Amino acid sequence: MGSQGGWGQSKEFLDLVKSIGEARSKAEEDRIILREIDTLKRRIAEPDVPRRKMKEYLIRLVYVEMLGHDASFGYIHAVKMTHDDSLLLKRTGYLAVTLFLNEDHDLIILIVNTIQKDLRSDNYLIVCAALTAVCKLINEETIPAVLPQVVELLGHSKEAVRKKAVLALHRFYQRAPNSVSHLISNFRKRLCDNDPGVMGATLCPLFDLIKEDINSYKDLVVSFVSILKQVAERRLPKTYDYHQMPAPFIQIKLLKILALLGSGDKQASGHMYTILGDIFRKSEPSSNIGNAVLYECICCVSSIFPNPKLLEAAVEATSRFLKSDSHNLKYMGIDALGRLIKINPDIAEEHQLAVIDCLEDPDDTLKRKTFELLYKMTKSSNVEVIVDRMIDYMRSINDNHYKTEIASRCVELAEQFAPSNQWFIQTMNKVFEHAGDLVNVRVAHNLMRLIAEGFGEDDEGADSQLRSSAVDSYLCILGEPKLPSVFLQVICWVLGEYGTTDGKYSASYIIGKLCDVAEAHSTDDTVKAYTISAIMKICAFEIAVGRKVELLPECQSLIDELSASHSTDLQQRAYELQALLGLDSQAVESVMPSDASCEDIEIDKNLSFLDSFVNQSMEKGARPYIPENERSGMFNIGNFRSQYQHEASSHSLRFEAYELPKPSPPPTIPQVVLPLPTTDLVPVPEQTYPRETHHAPNLPSATDASSVDFGVKLRLEGVQRKWGRPTYSSPSASSSSSTQKTANGATHLDGRTVSSQTRDNFYDSRKQQAEVSAEKQKLAASLFGASTAKSEKRQLPTHKTPKGVPTTAEKPAVKGAISSSEPPKEKTVPSSPPPDLLDLGEPTPASTPSIDPFKQLEGLLGPTSAPSAIDHSSAAGPKTPDLMALYTDTPPAAVSSGSLNPELADIYTVNKNSHGTTNVAAMNKGQNRQDSLQKDATARQVGVTPTENNPSLFRDLLG
Amino acid sequence: MGIRFVLLVNKQGQTRLAQYYEYLTLEERRALEGEIVRKCLARTEQQCSFVEHRNYKIVYRRYASLFFLVGVDNDENELAILEFIHLLVETMDRHFGNVCELDIMFHLEKAHFMLEEMVMNGCVIETNKTIILTPIHLMDRAS
């Protein structure tokens, strides 16, 4: 057939393409494009550029943008081109516009009119071109301009138009679901379209709709099942086949939809069992596309209500994937395994070695997928091995996106399954050390809370042991260079709270360490704030027990430095510390109580402690407080937002009178009320600091409010809302996770040491070869474990249950559920009548389109086209197997499988006999080769040398 | 959404065709292409044809000097996308006859038209080669 349309391009275009093709570096390519931009700017502005010439310019502009340069100077010409009458030029215009502009570009408005006109065209190809443009160019605002026409086109006589109209509607749904909510039923109607292409395309919007609202589409289950059945039974035209599979892409889409509809729905799933079984049976494991369908089938089976027979088939297919040599299939197998173990965790055991192979494979993609699987199968018995592996891997990766993900997974698993507190803290230390800057701050706060609150059990001894071990490890870690800021904050906080608690370290030692931290991170204000607060706490604890604090010189210089800091926060902390040092032990004790981080802070919402002060002022003649929203002539500034808006708007002229100036805040005298100095001295009490920050605003409210309030009693209606509702972090919520953590004792630790011992034994006794596999088996054993510990879950109230019991308890439960699902399956088989494809209750007569629409079309084109049609179909015949032969991924084993047609097998044998592969190509692709030779010759004629020795895409695959 | 972009790159990393199904600015495209091309081209034949990148995946396939890269959402069937690429190549092959890099370069708009017939709104909507090529044949004939 050759390249149709010929080489109609100008010499200039050919030269451009040639030079781009031959460019050896990005810099060279950039030079070519910059020169081209200059040329185009000149040419495109010339008067009376011929339309064909303009089309070529547009393609050149597309090149300019594709290679990363701005072509905005030519956008308007692309827009103009869409007005052209010629189909090719119009479609090129639309193409250029869709490539250049996003839907919110200013020029789009100039196209809406053209689109409207084209949607009314008699030429269905123009309508199609317009609909394609609609999908890319129409934004939410312009939807109404074309919506009626698009809806009308859903009933067009040409299937190509109907298909594109469905997708235009789909696009509107994606953009603005509300704009088409009343038209959703059209998708259901088009599912019954006579044309399989329209039906197949309709599955895309339906999939999106079903994902949003599964229950509204349960009635379609039977229809989807019957369509799938008919597709699988090859009732669609042959032209939809791909590598001998009947319409595999439609099958896959249907399986995706069924997986959604059958999820957790026994009845709906019942309808699907038969067809899924059929697909498993018919599957062609020798081809890639067959495996794609198979994989989708596994996904579907693991999503719907479980059926033992199907699960068995799915497991079998999965194990075939895992055993395959192809990395792609292994990848799919690992993914499938991750889905299946949700139904039955035992499945993983059989494949432990395959999984470990994938885990240790140098292929990063495979490794990541396997980590995902491990993450899914983590339980308390294997959490240590898995998290250790994850952390090891985390160290080696540079991709921050993935590092963040895997770090948060480590944290999640550690929080959920930690076998001991010690282990938890060590794990967190490692995570922070290697990915500290990527971890969510919340994780740091959780860790601090955990150390402070202990593990929820009333065992103070264990808690304090935990704390001192944390302090030990942190003092050790502090020696390392370059610690992430978040981690340092945790360290400082813990050292401040518990550094001196157990008496192992002296105050001056800890303070010295903290000063070092502040010095080493002089640019990080947050860390410095944490250090100074920690120093303050340690000093306070010392003073409280009656010891005298002798400040180290470096500490004194730190305080001096921070007192003069640019950061007011640091300044304040430094001054507070200095003030604290001057107080006596009793005052200090009430200001900074020891180990008070877990105490609930009582907040007097009514600020009743100010009552006496308010009364005093009233007696002196102050006016009572009027809540702001009750004041006349003022906006309702009940909350922050409107206040800000108010301030923002006050830049313009104000027409109403200014309100009376508020009295200036009187100095708050500390000795009036006792609790006040506490809050005044430490506006941000240290115990609240590391917790959720919303504590902070509550306290300053005391002083703040006093500046405005002069009533008999404080009226807080207006005030309270201003600071928002007081929220406390409920200790119960925060500790729920930590209580769970304690459930498992140190038994696992023991198990681990034993295993490492045995490992040592292995090293001693075995040979190198054996060692590797022994190592693997060891890993397998620790990952998949003695199956006994398997179902030991956190939620279980007792972890002391004899091993083995939970498993046996769970297995029958699963089995029971499965077997109970069998009867409906048997029942539904005969009850669901196999309706014809596309005959889904629509009045339209059911007719399987057996006529090839292509031939119909060709027939319309007049006498000249008739022979070409024949030519085409005859050419297509031998060509398909040709492709198959060259098809890279077809494993050689496929030949022996005998499922391929004899022609193909021939090719393979020829291949074997004549060692030269190109020979085969010559023999089998004779005509094609001539074609390409001719093409090469043409290319050379016009002065283009192909960059490759072997220009054909397929040819290289033989070598 | 499904498919986020289809990218054709030669083995020097030069873009030969780019179609995005969600709008990215020129700068974003440039950065993204640079990143993923570097990632994919460094891989060996034996390794998976899938690469995870940020919050999506790239499925790629090499034909002679050309790499076909398709960016897809995480819930997409990778093997099916791999076959979609092959279908695209088969379609181009049927039209051009032994398609090569130069065919695509000289007929960039046609390659785009084929893709437009096969993918809309990021979904694979047509896999019937005859139907995909019909409008292109008709346009050829008309002009």
Side-chain angles (χ1 to χ4, degrees), chain B residues 18-128:
Chain B
Q19 178 65 271
Y20 291 83
Y21 296 96
E22 59 189 346
Y23 183 78
L24 293 179
T25 63
L26 204 60
E27 282 309 308
E28 288 167 334
R29 290 175 188 207
R30 230 160 120 158
L32 180 130
E33 284 170 28
E35 250 176 276
I36 63 172
V37 165
R38 221 175 306 127
K39 248 185 181 172
C40 294
L41 266 56
R43 295 173 64 82
T44 65
E45 297 261 334
Q46 286 77 40
Q47 291 182 320
C48 283
S49 313
F50 325 128
V51 180
E52 285 174 29
H53 183 74
R54 296 176 191 276
N55 54 345
Y56 55 92
K57 284 180 297 203
I58 298 146
V59 179
Y60 70 94
R61 199 158 179 166
R62 182 182 170 168
Y63 292 89
S65 59
L66 265 196
F67 283 82
F68 287 66
L69 308 147
V70 180
V72 293
D73 285 342
N74 275 322
D75 52 358
E76 207 63 32
N77 183 333
E78 294 91 343
L79 280 183
I81 296 296
L82 207 57
E83 289 312 285
F84 161 77
I85 295 176
H86 194 67
L87 177 69
L88 175 63
V89 176
E90 281 184 8
T91 311
M92 288 179 172
D93 205 56
R94 185 188 277 197
H95 181 76
F96 293 114
N98 260 339
V99 65
C100 66
E101 189 180 332
L102 279 178
D103 284 322
I104 295 166
M105 291 184 80
F106 281 125
H107 303 280
L108 189 62
E109 76 278 19
K110 273 190 199 166
H112 268 292
F113 292 156
M114 287 177 211
L115 203 54
E116 276 184 351
E117 297 294 325
M118 294 173 78
V119 182
M120 279 173 99
N121 307 343
C123 304
V124 177
I125 55 144
E126 190 55 76
T127 53
N128 184 329

Side-chain angles (χ1 to χ4, degrees), chain A residues 22-161:
Chain A
E22 284 173 349
R24 281 284 157 265
S25 66
K26 184 73 192 146
E28 193 183 340
E29 187 186 274
D30 283 345
R31 270 199 304 279
I32 296 165
I33 294 297
L34 288 174
R35 210 169 47 227
E36 177 66 12
I37 289 174
D38 278 347
T39 320
L40 282 174
K41 272 185 180 160
R42 252 181 298 116
R43 291 293 175 76
I44 221 161
E46 280 168 14
D48 300 328
V49 179
R51 290 149 62 218
R52 292 216 146 257
K53 197 86 196 149
M54 188 53 97
K55 178 195 162 228
E56 198 183 288
Y57 292 155
L58 280 188
I59 306 289
R60 286 156 75 172
L61 284 170
V62 170
Y63 262 105
V64 167
E65 286 242 318
M66 186 172 82
L67 297 174
H69 296 263
D70 179 51
S72 53
F73 63 89
Y75 289 175
I76 189 68
H77 297 281
V79 172
K80 277 191 201 154
M81 186 64 90
T82 62
H83 304 327
D84 202 285
D85 291 329
S86 149
L87 173 62
L88 181 63
L89 300 190
K90 184 184 274 296
R91 194 154 174 195
T92 308
Y94 275 132
L95 173 71
V97 171
T98 57
L99 290 172
F100 292 151
L101 309 181
N102 74 334
E103 53 184 29
D104 297 321
H105 197 277
D106 292 340
L107 288 174
I108 295 292
I109 205 72
L110 299 175
I111 301 174
V112 174
N113 212 343
T114 321
I115 290 180
Q116 282 179 323
K117 205 178 96 227
D118 289 343
L119 288 176
R120 279 192 291 268
S121 168
D122 294 334
N123 183 340
Y124 87 96
L125 288 172
I126 288 186
V127 181
C128 284
L131 282 170
T132 310
V134 161
C135 285
K136 292 213 131 193
L137 301 176
I138 295 295
N139 66 12
E140 198 172 343
E141 282 152 43
T142 36
I143 287 176
V146 292
L147 187 58
Q149 282 172 298
V150 169
V151 173
E152 201 181 307
L153 290 171
L154 288 170
H156 197 274
S157 60
K158 276 282 178 194
E159 59 282 344
V161 175

Side-chain angles (χ1 to χ4, degrees), chain A residues 834-856:
Chain A
D836 221 352
L837 172 64
L838 323 164
D839 182 12
L840 307 172
E842 272 285 289
T844 43
S847 63
T848 327
S850 53
I851 316 149
D852 187 349
F854 179 68
K855 275 189 191 141
Q856 271 182 308

